[in-house]
Amino acid sequence: PSVVHREIPLVMGKAELRDIAKGFGEAARNVKHAGLDGVELHAAHSYLLGQVLSPTYNIRDDEYGGSVANRCRLIVEVAQEVRAQVGDDFTLGIRLSYEEFVGEAGITPEQADEQIEILAATGCFDFFNISRGAYHTLHMAIPPMDSPHGGYQEYAHRARKIVGNRAKLFLVGRITNLHEAEAVLPALLDGRHHVEDQRVEALAAGAEDGAAGLGRHHAGSAHAASPTVTSHVREPSRRAEEGRVASAA
């Protein structure tokens, strides 16, 4: 049973999997018709798409289970269906757990590296939103107060080396003001721009490869005063200059 909902899951058949992909596509089309500029697929934290990626939950023995590539198959089909419904002038991103902290029983950073490559190679995604944790390790998904600020940077380094310039990266993890957001940007840019005193000087020249996630309750803080970060994070992807993006689990 689910460790959260205490329900016994049903193994989905091929027709149901096709319906899932079709439903995501229709939902994205509705979002576009509503006037928003993009959607984010939530494939982290043991939501449906995250469970498909994780060996903790996905024990299928068909083409949707087993290898990392097979466990990515449904998300690839979802992304392709979304693109078929909304076209290329609409932002599509995905949130991923880079580590589930249950060893080989769940997603490891090495598996996440493979996932990122497979998904980036589709050309469907404008950004990857990097997180961590799962239902079994929710304390890792939502960092407690004694956790280090900006503690997910190692995952951003790994993802950037794989993604290259194929997509943007978003990063979360106790980033509580814009000064901290600016400090973690080198992890997203992977050293391809000069960094001095924890400031990314190249941002003013138009670097646009990453964004640090900042909690909305911090956005009005008196410490949120860095123009290099604020001008940077307004650019979500190459498909939307100033976008409103909906998230779908």
Side-chain angles (χ1 to χ4, degrees):
S2 166
V3 297
V4 173
H5 304 295
R6 305 300 178 187
E7 297 176 344
I8 302 296
L10 173 70
V11 178
M12 290 188 291
K14 301 292 179 60
E16 291 165 315
L17 292 172
R18 288 193 295 270
D19 285 343
I20 290 292
K22 181 179 177 181
F24 272 102
E26 291 175 348
R29 184 187 64 207
N30 291 339
V31 169
K32 184 176 183 179
H33 287 173
L36 277 75
D37 299 305
V39 295
E40 178 185 74
L41 303 179
H42 199 329
H45 310 144
S46 299
Y47 287 93
L48 174 61
L49 296 181
Q51 291 183 0
V52 172
L53 288 176
S54 174
T56 303
Y57 297 94
N58 187 344
I59 55 174
R60 300 177 70 100
D61 58 4
D62 61 5
E63 65 266 35
Y64 291 93
S67 68
V68 172
N70 281 356
R71 284 186 269 122
C72 288
R73 189 181 304 276
L74 178 61
I75 293 179
V76 171
E77 293 176 354
V78 167
Q80 290 171 340
E81 179 64 26
V82 169
R83 280 284 170 230
Q85 293 289 338
V86 302
D88 290 333
D89 61 340
F90 190 76
T91 300
L92 174 62
I94 186 168
R95 192 172 204 188
L96 299 170
S97 285
Y98 225 86
E99 186 168 9
E100 291 187 318
F101 300 95
V102 290
E104 294 296 326
I107 295 171
T108 64
E110 291 73 24
Q111 291 183 28
D113 288 346
E114 293 185 58
Q115 293 172 6
I116 286 276
E117 173 54 39
I118 291 167
L119 299 178
T122 67
C124 291
F125 294 101
D126 298 299
F127 68 85
F128 293 92
N129 187 345
I130 306 301
S131 187
R132 67 181 188 180
Y135 275 166
H136 295 83
T137 53
L138 284 177
H139 64 290
M140 303 303 289
I142 305 173
M145 293 182 66
D146 62 348
S147 298
H149 288 231
Y152 298 8
Q153 295 182 60
E154 62 176 296
Y155 306 124
H157 278 298
R158 298 177 73 118
R160 173 51 65 198
K161 291 177 181 178
I162 297 166
V163 172
N165 63 1
R166 291 180 289 182
K168 308 279 198 296
L169 290 184
F170 291 7
L171 183 66
V172 297
R174 290 211 75 199
I175 302 167
T176 59
N177 60 63
L178 289 179
H179 297 295
E180 291 179 0
E182 188 174 36
V184 303
L185 280 174
L188 301 174
L189 300 172
D190 199 34
R192 289 179 294 117
H193 301 279
H194 180 61
V195 179
E196 182 178 352
D197 296 329
Q198 294 298 309
R199 297 183 60 81
V200 186
E201 303 297 342
L203 291 179
E208 47 185 44
D209 295 309
L214 183 70
R216 61 185 175 188
H217 58 291
H218 296 295
S221 167
H223 300 292
S226 171
T228 56
V229 174
T230 53
S231 64
H232 185 59
V233 298
R234 289 192 189 117
E235 169 67 78
S237 81
R238 66 180 182 275
R239 301 180 197 269
E241 291 185 358
E242 291 192 12
R244 293 159 291 172
V245 179
S247 181

